[in-house]
Amino acid sequence: MVPPDKPVLLTGASGTIGRLLTERLTALGWTLRLTDLVPFPSPLPTGATFERIDLEDRTAVRDLAKGCGLILHFGGVSTEQSFEAILGPNLRGGFHIYEAAREEKARVVYGSSNHAVGLYERSTILDDDCLLRPDGFYGLSKAYGELLARLYWEKHAVESVLIRIGSVLPEVPDERILSTWISHNDFVRLIECCAAAPSVGCMVMWGASNNSRSFWRRDARDRLGWTPLDSADDQADRVLGRVTDSPVAERYQGGKFVIVDYTRTDFAPSAMFPDKE
Ligand code: 15L
């Protein structure tokens, strides 16, 4: 695929996903403008520049996005934390990203998460139009980001691909991730498709490889031109039986994120939507 003709802003560049994309996309000839709150941990590859900014700084985000045609937004808090810790980077930061995208007429690839729907039971198979059921404040911030994207599409024609990322890991560490795994190669190809598709509107993509145990089904991948080529299935023998000791974590798609500050004893959330399950 031909690299984007304009520079691409990548937030969260120093994190796991950011470092993967920096290495792989520059090797494909992309010009990347990287940013993170913490320094980039290794030497910068050719084609990448780095500026350390805070997503809460609206002017800094706007200035850094100048001239970019695509924003890969993977910055912010990526674990379950207090509302106060998530508010600035994820909610306010997300708003700054969308304001910058609106000004630049840039497309956004928004790093959403399976934790936006983490309170579905594992036996429920979800399509892209399912109700959002966040499993904590982190998942809630991703649900907000998805709605922010929809607002900016409907009011300002800012295009977005909302990737509900499963687990981006070199290999599968446990039984749950047999359902949520996305290989590095599938993930990088997905990002290439997000950049290359002639139009994306505001679409949701399940960010997972071709796993037979997947919790997820329909999305707009045909329109995007993406087909995952890998599968966690090959690794099943090694990890089947590697589970937590929490019945709550094992019951819900979000796994361990669900049990942070979980106070119910009756497993009732699923009973809120009996007709959907
Ligand atoms: C996420 O959203 C997290 O950022 C990542 O660290 C993993 O925990 C992943 O979800 C997951 O659910 O496996």
Side-chain angles (χ1 to χ4, degrees):
M1 275 179 241
V2 187
D5 49 5
K6 287 180 167 182
V8 173
L9 176 60
L10 171 60
T11 71
S14 306
T16 317
I17 290 178
R19 280 177 282 134
L20 168 72
L21 292 180
T22 299
E23 184 197 322
R24 302 287 288 272
L25 297 177
T26 52
L28 292 168
W30 288 39
T31 302
L32 294 183
R33 219 174 269 175
L34 311 176
T35 184
D36 205 300
L37 202 51
V38 298
F40 195 70
S42 35
L44 286 178
T46 308
T49 53
F50 180 87
E51 197 174 319
R52 204 168 153 184
I53 66 159
D54 188 340
L55 293 172
E56 291 193 58
D57 182 342
R58 182 172 176 173
T59 310
V61 173
R62 190 196 59 207
D63 290 349
L64 196 60
K66 283 233 156 69
C68 291
L70 179 66
I71 301 176
L72 306 177
H73 182 42
F74 295 100
V77 174
S78 63
T79 53
E80 180 56 1
Q81 292 188 28
S82 71
F83 177 75
E84 288 303 329
I86 284 171
L87 173 63
N90 292 20
L91 275 64
R92 201 169 282 125
F95 164 63
H96 296 158
I97 290 294
Y98 271 90
E99 274 297 297
R102 171 184 173 182
E103 209 161 301
E104 295 304 315
K105 303 194 185 324
R107 181 179 292 180
V108 180
V109 174
Y110 177 74
S112 185
S113 167
N114 70 89
H115 296 288
V117 292
L119 270 175
Y120 280 95
E121 293 192 18
R122 294 191 186 184
S123 54
T124 308
I125 304 297
L126 307 179
D127 290 328
D128 54 0
D129 58 355
C130 68
L131 194 69
L132 292 162
R133 289 174 74 180
D135 59 25
F137 293 122
Y138 164 65
L140 182 63
S141 76
K142 294 298 178 182
Y144 157 87
E146 292 195 14
L147 284 172
L148 184 67
R150 181 141 306 273
L151 175 69
Y152 275 70
W153 166 239
E154 302 207 332
K155 284 189 83 166
H156 309 298
V158 173
E159 288 196 305
S160 287
V161 182
L162 312 173
I163 309 179
R164 286 192 192 141
I165 304 171
S167 311
V168 183
L169 292 168
E171 57 177 34
V172 177
D174 61 36
E175 196 171 294
R176 168 179 172 270
I177 292 180
L178 288 171
S179 305
T180 60
W181 189 64
I182 179 163
S183 71
H184 283 181
N185 285 342
D186 279 344
F187 189 68
V188 172
R189 278 190 291 265
L190 171 56
I191 301 298
E192 284 189 272
C193 291
C194 292
S199 71
V200 299
C202 183
M203 60 166 67
V204 171
M205 296 293 298
W206 296 110
S209 284
N210 193 18
N211 311 324
S212 64
R213 291 173 180 77
S214 181
F215 305 140
W216 312 313
R217 190 173 43 200
R218 195 194 60 220
D219 62 18
R221 65 191 53 195
D222 292 347
R223 229 178 94 207
L224 196 67
W226 179 63
T227 314
L229 302 177
D230 297 322
S231 169
D233 296 8
D234 319 339
Q235 302 176 57
D237 286 350
R238 189 171 47 78
V239 299
L240 274 173
R242 277 197 211 166
V243 294
T244 68
D245 57 7
S246 160
V248 176
E250 293 307 315
R251 182 167 180 142
Y252 296 110
Q253 296 191 2
K256 281 189 277 193
F257 280 54
V258 177
I259 58 176
V260 179
D261 195 29
Y262 185 89
T263 63
R264 294 188 79 136
T265 51
D266 56 356
F267 291 129
S270 58
M272 284 164 59
F273 308 100
D275 53 324
K276 299 244 175 201
E277 308 203 19

